[in-house]
Each structure stands twice: as C-alpha cells, then as structure tokens.
Amino acid sequence: MDKLQRYLEKIIDGSKKGKMAAVIRFILFLLSLVYSQLAKIRSVLYQNNILKKKEAEVPVISIGNITTGGTGKTPFTAFLAEALKSEYKTAIISRGYGAATDVEEPFLIKDDNQLYADAAEAGDELFMLARSNDQLIFIRSANRYQGTKLAEDRGAELILLDDGFQHYQLKRNLDIVLIDAEEPFSNNRVLPAGLLREPFAALKRADLFLLNRSENVDLSRVKELKKSLNTLSPSNKGIFRAETRLDNCVSVASQEKESLDFLKEKKVFAFSGIGSPEAFKKSIESAGAKLVSYRIFKDHYNYQKEDLLTLLDQYSDSQADLILTTEKDAVKLFEFAEMIGELPFYYLKISLVIENREKLLEIVKDGIKHGKAK
C-alpha cells in the first residue's frame, strides 16, 4: 500500500513520466471533475437549506484545511485551547483519525485531568493532545453534532471542532483554515488528481486563515498567498503567519527531555507516519542532526510489534546514534516501552509561533461572543 501511495503521489506531482503515468494521470483528472461537481452540489444543498444544518447550544469554532495531509492543525488546536480555557470550559471534538479500536461514539477521551482512553481508542492526534493538556474535554465522534451533545452534558461552554471545514452538518461561529505556506494547494486540483478536498470556491466560507510553516518561504511568497486568499475569501477577518518551532527532544521510554543541542552532529535514524513527512525531515536537519536513514509510513499508521522490531533492526544497520520520530507517532509506541528499554529512542516536540497572536485571539473571542453560527 505504501508503494502504491508513493507511486500515485509521483503521478499527481508530475515527477512520474511515461505513457502509463500519463494515462493514469488523465483518469485521475476525469475522476477529479466528478468529485469536484459532487462537492459543489453538496455545498449548494446545505447553503439552500435542502440538507439541514444542526446547531449546538454553545459556540463552535472549526479548525480545518482544504487539502489532505498535515498543515499543523494539532499544534494550533493546542494553542487555541490553552489560550481560551481560562475563560471557557472548552471541549475538543475529533473524528479520531488513526484509532485502531472501534468504540461506541460519541466517546469521552478525557475530562479535566482524567484520561479514559489510550491511543488505539482515541486516535493518535487526539490522544497526543489529551495526554498533554489538562482542564479540557476531549471527545471522539465522527458525528460532530452528537459529540457536541456529550460535550454540553459535561459542561462545555465552547467547542473546538478538529478538522471540521468539510463537515457542513454542524453550524459554527468561526471557520479557521490552516494552509501550508510552502505547499499550499499541491497542483491546484481536487482529489484524486490533486490534494484539494474541495474546489477553491469553498475558501469563501473561511473566516480566518493561518499560513503555517511560513519560515520555509520568502516574504514575497507570503504576500502572494495573502493576495490570493483575499480574492478567494474577500470577507475574511484576517490572515496570519505561523512558524513551526522545535521545543525539545523527549525520550519515548522515560519521557525525559533533552534540549535541541542534544541532536547537534548526531547521526539519526528517523521514521514517521504523518501527512507531511518532508516537514519532519527538515525539522531534523534544522536541529543540526545528520539524517542517515528515514523510513516513511502512511499517515496515521498503527504500529505493531513486528514494525517496531523491523525499525530497531534498521536502526542497528544504519549505525546511527539514535532513533527519532514525531510525537504523533510516539504516542502509539508507549505500550512497547519494555522493548525499547534503554535504547536512545526519542521524539521531537513542536509548537507554533504565531505572528500577531493577540490580534488573532481578539478576532476569535469576538466570534465566540458575537459571531452568528452559520
């Protein structure tokens, strides 16, 4: 499956040449036309109230994107929840991507400081947030409206909807859309010929934009993106820049923290199962480490004992000084702590640095108090 996915990615980005690739690319293009029309029809049905929207009893903020892959929704959700929890009892509702265990939804992951689930039940990103943040409610629910009912029962005064931009069914006060400044729209085509989940016209629904990983592009590129987004969404309330910051390096087994200087000049064997593996590679290199081998898994990959054994063998063969992965991957490896033992097995912890963060929060708070759910 991983080989097929990488093959299709090369076809989509145009790096795969030849007659067969051209034929597949044309078929994907035809399928994308169908997908695009279906997305437009669905949007029109909700806009004209033919398909009914439901409304929560408390304000709802959606945090999403218009492309597949990673754009930094998880660290931004963490930032927003931390900034608002002193004023509102806040719940985070997610579909629970990466969950390996079926549960009866809506499923309570955490309430205040009490954790009720593991990574297999919660999903990697939701569990990662839940284990690191207290005084918040975390709920796994594919049906976001049903999730709001449970959140309200637990006393929630505000709901953050993880990956909710395409979830038309639930009304929200604000739609915040994150965009990767380096690779904003792939080849500008919708699935399956590109990475867009919806046609560009969908961006007019967005209230706020966050251009993440802006440290990887020139200021002129940021200005071009802002101009394009203002054209696509002329009534948006603001476009903000964000940079990904490396905080520290954490031991998977002991949870002991090391400063980033710990990685300098170290030979690293790395692996990840995330939506933006290239971004992780750049993070490792920016920390001054020497990447000697990098194993890429599909996004939200559920690691088994056999996978870990293979990775440990590859680490040994690479003659690297340590093994490094992402926090999102690490949360699914805690159960193998005994196997990892005293091995130098670490993950990188990251956060966002947001330009004009106070202005962004001012707009968000105004949307909570005065924004009409739509």
Side-chain angles (χ1 to χ4, degrees):
M1 180 61 76
D2 290 345
K3 289 182 179 179
L4 176 61
Q5 181 179 341
R6 287 195 289 271
Y7 179 75
L8 290 175
E9 287 172 353
K10 290 181 179 179
I11 288 176
I12 289 171
D13 66 23
S15 61
K16 194 70 176 178
K17 307 297 182 182
K19 291 182 178 179
M20 180 59 71
V23 170
I24 295 174
R25 196 174 291 116
F26 180 68
I27 292 172
L28 293 176
F29 171 69
L30 293 178
L31 291 173
S32 74
L33 294 179
V34 175
Y35 181 95
S36 180
Q37 290 304 312
L38 291 174
K40 288 178 181 178
I41 291 170
R42 179 170 173 263
S43 176
V44 168
L45 290 175
Y46 274 106
Q47 287 174 10
N48 290 279
N49 211 29
I50 297 171
L51 291 177
K52 304 293 183 181
K53 290 187 177 183
K54 297 180 179 180
E55 186 172 359
E57 295 180 7
V58 298
V60 175
I61 298 174
S62 166
I63 301 163
N65 55 18
I66 196 172
T67 58
T68 62
T71 53
K73 293 190 304 298
T74 302
F76 179 72
T77 301
F79 154 76
L80 205 56
E82 184 65 27
L84 297 172
K85 71 181 184 182
S86 63
E87 298 181 46
Y88 304 94
K89 187 171 178 61
T90 303
I92 296 172
I93 301 176
S94 170
R95 188 175 181 175
Y97 290 106
T101 303
D102 291 331
V103 297
E104 185 177 344
E105 297 183 358
F107 183 67
L108 183 64
I109 303 301
K110 187 176 183 179
D111 191 352
D112 289 331
N113 302 333
Q114 183 65 47
L115 192 61
Y116 298 103
D118 56 21
E121 294 169 316
D124 45 24
E125 292 173 343
L126 188 57
F127 183 72
M128 184 177 80
L129 283 174
R131 66 181 291 272
S132 303
N133 295 275
D134 292 332
Q135 300 175 337
L136 297 168
I137 303 166
F138 293 87
I139 294 170
R140 170 185 164 183
S141 185
N143 184 315
R144 306 303 206 278
Y145 178 70
Q146 292 300 321
T148 67
K149 297 294 99 182
L150 176 56
E152 289 162 1
D153 289 344
R154 307 299 294 195
E157 300 169 326
L158 172 68
I159 290 169
L160 303 183
L161 198 65
D162 176 59
D163 198 19
F165 192 54
Q166 286 75 38
H167 194 82
Y168 289 84
Q169 186 188 38
L170 183 63
K171 292 184 179 182
R172 49 285 203 125
N173 297 64
L174 280 175
D175 261 307
I176 303 175
V177 173
L178 275 67
I179 291 173
D180 186 329
E182 190 173 18
E183 293 288 341
F185 308 119
S186 177
N187 58 1
N188 299 331
R189 291 179 177 174
V190 300
L191 295 167
L195 300 183
L196 289 174
R197 294 177 169 185
E198 298 181 87
F200 281 120
L203 287 175
K204 68 183 178 183
R205 305 196 314 270
D207 299 298
L208 282 175
F209 292 101
L210 189 77
L211 302 179
N212 196 18
R213 303 191 182 105
S214 59
E215 72 274 13
N216 296 326
V217 298
D218 295 333
L219 187 58
S220 60
R221 176 59 173 158
V222 172
K223 290 181 178 179
E224 287 176 12
L225 276 173
K226 286 186 176 182
K227 183 178 179 180
S228 297
L229 292 173
N230 280 324
T231 301
L232 291 164
S233 177
S235 61
N236 78 78
K237 296 177 174 63
I239 303 173
F240 296 85
R241 290 176 60 246
E243 298 182 359
T244 300
R245 179 179 66 191
L246 303 180
D247 288 338
N248 46 49
C249 189
V250 186
S251 168
V252 173
S254 69
Q255 293 296 291
E256 290 183 7
K257 296 178 181 179
E258 301 282 356
S259 70
L260 292 177
D261 287 341
F262 171 73
L263 291 176
K264 283 186 178 179
E265 302 301 320
K266 292 280 199 319
K267 292 185 293 183
V268 169
F269 168 73
F271 69 94
S272 69
I274 58 175
S276 51
E278 280 300 312
F280 181 51
K281 179 182 177 182
K282 288 180 179 179
S283 293
I284 296 170
E285 292 170 342
S286 69
K290 297 179 180 179
L291 188 61
V292 296
S293 184
Y294 185 21
R295 175 78 184 276
I296 298 174
F297 294 85
K298 67 180 182 180
D299 195 13
H300 302 291
Y301 186 78
N302 285 303
Y303 298 96
Q304 305 300 316
K305 181 179 179 180
E306 294 74 16
D307 296 311
L308 184 57
L309 290 172
T310 300
L311 287 168
L312 294 179
D313 285 341
Q314 291 175 337
Y315 156 68
S316 180
D317 292 340
S318 72
Q319 297 185 333
D321 298 315
L322 57 88
I323 314 171
L324 192 62
T325 191
T326 71
E327 186 177 7
K328 174 179 162 181
D329 292 288
V331 297
K332 291 179 284 190
L333 298 171
F334 293 152
E335 62 182 290
F336 304 123
E338 287 189 12
M339 289 177 59
I340 295 170
E342 299 299 320
L343 287 173
F345 201 142
Y346 297 87
Y347 65 85
L348 276 179
K349 195 167 183 63
I350 65 170
S351 60
L352 293 185
V353 178
I354 300 173
E355 185 181 54
N356 296 327
R357 63 189 298 273
E358 295 305 323
K359 178 63 176 177
L360 183 149
L361 289 172
E362 180 183 321
I363 295 171
V364 169
K365 291 176 182 180
D366 184 69
I368 294 171
K369 292 179 180 178
H370 306 114
K372 185 177 179 182
K374 57 190 185 300

